Amino acid sequence: MKATGIVRRIDDLGRVVVPKEIRRTLRIREGDPLEIFTDREGEIILKKYSPIGEMNLFAKQYAEALSQVTGHIVCITDRDQVIAAAGSGKKELMERSLSKQIENLMSERETLTATHDSKKFIPVINEQQEDYTAEVIYPVICEGDVIGSVVFLSRDTRANMGETEQKLANVAAGFLGRQMEA
């Protein structure tokens, strides 16, 4: 465990403030859920909770099914990283941190359909090295909160993310959101 040299006191309601530097480094925002663990040495461990990450095996199978049907790369993300990916190039995407642009898109609850030459195209992950030519992004909403996104990507210059991909991404995002509510 990494020592920070920061000490905080517990207030009369049992609260402790997580320092801004640590929140920024770990990308913890106001309202983010945290899991609380203890270990045998008496340490308290706070871990950022990803509701959609709880169903990563299901998300992986769903992404694989969508990829087989569409022929595109399919990613399912939580608010911070890619939790499931299928299709050619999935290794470059798995467990990578999301770009600021896609985080902002999710925060605004917006959808995106774009090609690489359009000005709307955004990178999915930080330091994206792959050159994708088309994308569709839909937020996953659970109980009114954005918990992730469904992303379709293509490297094929002839690929056109049209109404079919938009509807599939919309259905997938809606289904995942409802699964989390159940």
Side-chain angles (χ1 to χ4, degrees), residues 8-18:
R8 298 285 192 214
R9 296 196 184 277
I10 296 177
D11 72 7
D12 57 339
L13 295 176
R15 297 176 297 198
V16 64
V17 174
V18 177

Side-chain angles (χ1 to χ4, degrees), residues 142-153:
C142 175
E143 297 177 350
D145 295 325
V146 176
I147 61 169
S149 66
V150 175
V151 181
F152 287 27
L153 296 167

Side-chain angles (χ1 to χ4, degrees), residues 40-69:
R40 289 191 173 106
E41 288 82 44
E43 293 177 324
I44 298 172
I45 302 163
L46 298 175
K47 180 181 175 196
K48 201 167 173 186
Y49 176 69
S50 169
I52 202 164
E54 294 291 312
M55 51 189 284
N56 62 354
L57 179 61
F58 177 75
K60 180 181 176 193
Q61 292 170 341
Y62 202 177
E64 287 173 0
L66 286 169
S67 179
Q68 285 177 348
V69 168

Side-chain angles (χ1 to χ4, degrees), residues 72 113 115 134 154 156-163 165:
H72 299 305
T113 303
T115 57
S154 179
D156 186 353
T157 55
R158 296 165 297 174
N160 182 19
M161 298 286 185
E163 190 176 339
E165 287 82 6

